[in-house]
Amino acid sequence: MSILITNIKQLLQVHDSNVTIVKGDAMKNLPVIENAYVYIDHDTIIEYGKMEDYRPIEADTVIDATGKIVLPSWCDSHTHVVYAGDRTSEFVDRINGLSYAEIANKGGGILNSAKKLQDTSEDDLFEQSIKRLNELIAMGSGAVEIKTGYGLTTEAELKMLRVIKRIKQESLAKIIPTLLAAHAIPEEFKSKKQDYIKYITEELIPQAAKLNITHYVDVFCEEGYFDIKDTEAILEAGKKYNLRPKIHVNQFNILGGIALGVKHNALSVDHLEELNDDDIKALKGSDTISVALPGCSYFISIPYTPARKIIDAGLPLAIATDYNPGTAPSGNMNFVVSAACVKLKLTPEEAINAATINGAYAMGISNMYGSITRGKKANLIITKPMNHYSEIPYAFAHDPIEQVIINGQLL
Ligand SMILES: [Zn+2]
């Protein structure tokens, strides 16, 4: 099955050589071919160029993209797509003025999701979750990270991992599973957190690693949840099973989690709504990418990640949805790209870099995803007619997408 797309108004994020990350000032540059074509065969990008250089190619499907933009699918490097039920009642509590901590203390938050998930069958959980994933794909996401973390027991965490594995097998999208081993402290361990850390490091992680589904371990490093010492113990336990850290840090408090992540060669440090100069210093010269989650800031009215500080320091930045039932119940990357421009003060070029190639980097897949490059996977967005790619973030909350191609298949 081959697809030829012709007369593309703007073909975005074109790299002849395999670029795997863009940092700092380089994020201002988004390589574009005006009036372009692209040819894909099976699941691979084969050829592209200017229409004036186009020589006829036989293809099973030909798409005339006159007036439209073509770009790599969004790479959403931080989601909690697998969950049971929803938390709309907490939404109303929040409107009425309750804080994240107050909602958690009255039995809401992660513990609420955990209870629902534990009571949901594996098949039901799969059905609920793949339906959500398919919505994300229709909104342009072609590669999606999915975390566990609503299990809180080994049994329920393994159930989540098996569901993510099944999604990975059945979906055309690229799925990256992450073991969020330490997300919250269950009620029965409230007064004996160290016992729970022991349970995570000696039982949950070894058993989860045995399934061989994930290469990443995550911790919610935050006041009232897992402190630096706890986080380090969990990262050390993960390391024994070759699980690389991708961690939640600096959402509400600065505990030193960024430096700890860098010390343990984290692939990404995510959230960073709170950020100081020591954090920036720690990130310099590392292979760790920062991930901002503006949908979460929007939804629970907390500060936005100071993204300019990160990019202006020469560092790379990715943006993701944090799609989850409590603090970001939207997996729409188009909105995230827009919010990155409006609230994080990224230019459209920086935001698109953050949502494609750098998002792929934050999942460890940027050698095969995130740019229009010969030999890379054919995950593409074809937009509705528009004058310029800046209209994607400009027309916020509009749906810019006309068609998506995932793994070489037109959906
Ligand atoms: Zn998250």
Side-chain angles (χ1 to χ4, degrees):
M1 171 79 185
S2 57
I3 303 174
L4 174 67
I5 313 173
T6 58
N7 301 314
I8 302 164
K9 189 175 178 72
Q10 294 179 312
L11 180 64
L12 308 188
Q13 194 64 299
V14 183
H15 290 278
D16 286 343
S17 61
N18 197 352
V19 171
T20 56
I21 190 168
V22 286
K23 304 178 182 185
D25 268 355
M27 287 183 69
K28 290 191 171 65
N29 179 34
L30 181 69
V32 178
I33 302 179
E34 307 275 346
N35 195 20
Y37 72 94
V38 62
Y39 172 70
I40 64 187
D41 192 15
H42 290 89
D43 61 353
T44 305
I45 298 168
I46 304 293
E47 195 51 88
Y48 51 79
K50 291 177 190 290
M51 278 309 288
E52 62 193 53
D53 299 328
Y54 169 73
R55 298 287 169 271
I57 305 171
E58 286 283 326
D60 300 320
T61 305
V62 179
I63 300 170
D64 181 353
T66 298
K68 299 168 190 174
I69 315 278
V70 173
L71 68 158
S73 299
W74 304 128
C75 296
D76 188 354
S77 69
H78 183 137
T79 86
H80 307 254
V81 166
V82 172
Y83 62 85
D86 64 51
R87 279 164 38 196
T88 39
S89 66
E90 293 174 24
F91 176 53
V92 178
D93 284 344
R94 194 170 294 110
I95 293 168
N96 287 329
L98 268 63
S99 71
Y100 184 94
E102 285 165 335
I103 290 168
N105 286 339
K106 64 177 269 209
I110 297 162
L111 296 184
N112 183 1
S113 285
K115 180 154 190 343
K116 286 186 174 136
L117 187 130
Q118 287 163 8
D119 293 343
T120 300
S121 75
E122 198 162 320
D123 282 343
D124 189 6
L125 187 61
F126 169 78
E127 294 300 338
Q128 291 186 33
S129 305
I130 194 139
K131 184 166 169 275
R132 279 180 215 119
L133 178 74
N134 288 336
E135 287 167 2
L136 307 199
I137 292 170
M139 292 188 285
S141 292
V144 178
E145 186 252 23
I146 306 178
K147 299 178 191 295
T148 68
Y150 291 124
L152 302 186
T153 65
T154 301
E155 190 194 345
E157 282 291 291
L158 298 186
K159 176 164 79 180
M160 288 192 80
L161 277 174
R162 288 191 300 268
V163 166
I164 298 171
K165 183 182 179 184
R166 207 169 137 194
I167 290 173
K168 189 176 168 157
Q169 286 163 342
E170 295 196 17
S171 178
L172 287 172
K174 178 72 175 173
I175 302 297
I176 301 295
T178 296
L179 176 69
L180 175 43
H183 200 188
I185 299 151
E187 210 54 63
E188 59 272 32
F189 285 98
K190 268 271 139 70
S191 57
K192 36 181 185 171
K193 188 174 74 172
Q194 285 319 307
D195 289 357
Y196 188 53
I197 306 290
K198 202 164 172 265
Y199 174 75
I200 291 171
T201 56
E202 294 181 10
E203 191 186 318
L204 198 163
I205 290 178
Q207 292 212 38
K210 226 191 285 173
L211 292 186
N212 209 13
I213 292 170
T214 176
H215 303 294
Y216 300 103
V217 65
D218 192 351
V219 179
F220 189 49
C221 178
E222 193 58 58
E223 218 168 273
Y225 290 81
F226 300 93
D227 63 22
I228 290 293
K229 217 172 128 246
D230 305 333
T231 304
E232 181 146 47
I234 293 157
L235 299 188
E236 295 275 11
K239 196 177 281 179
K240 284 189 204 148
Y241 299 92
N242 291 320
L243 302 180
R244 191 174 176 189
K246 266 177 75 65
I247 54 177
H248 286 73
V249 288
N250 291 39
Q251 183 176 2
F252 302 103
N253 299 283
I254 297 176
L255 305 180
I258 292 180
L260 182 74
V262 169
K263 178 182 162 192
H264 288 273
N265 190 32
L267 179 59
S268 71
V269 285
D270 301 32
H271 273 293
L272 284 52
E273 288 86 346
E274 304 295 329
L275 191 72
N276 66 23
D277 292 345
D278 288 342
D279 295 326
I280 296 281
K281 220 164 110 188
L283 285 163
K284 282 193 175 171
S286 76
D287 293 328
T288 303
I289 191 167
S290 305
V291 181
L293 307 165
C296 175
S297 298
Y298 168 80
F299 190 71
I300 63 169
S301 304
I302 60 172
Y304 286 87
T305 303
R308 282 263 54 98
K309 207 169 160 173
I310 296 168
I311 295 175
D312 294 345
L315 296 168
L317 180 81
I319 51 176
T321 61
D322 194 16
Y323 187 21
N324 78 81
T327 61
S330 165
N332 188 340
M333 279 295 284
N334 305 293
F335 171 73
V336 167
V337 169
S338 181
C341 293
V342 175
K343 295 296 184 181
L344 309 187
K345 304 296 174 201
L346 267 59
T347 63
E349 293 77 17
E350 288 172 324
I352 292 170
N353 273 314
T356 55
I357 190 71
N358 283 1
Y361 179 88
M363 291 185 271
I365 55 170
S366 56
N367 60 333
M368 290 305 285
Y369 294 86
S371 67
I372 306 290
T373 301
R374 291 178 191 91
K376 276 197 174 181
K377 293 287 181 190
N379 277 10
L380 304 173
I381 292 170
I382 304 170
T383 70
K384 293 172 179 166
M386 57 178 74
N387 289 319
H388 191 272
Y389 59 79
S390 292
E391 285 184 33
I392 298 171
Y394 165 77
F396 81 95
H398 280 233
D399 174 10
I401 291 170
E402 187 159 284
Q403 284 176 303
V404 296
I405 294 171
I406 302 285
N407 217 27
Q409 292 193 34
L410 187 64
L411 303 188

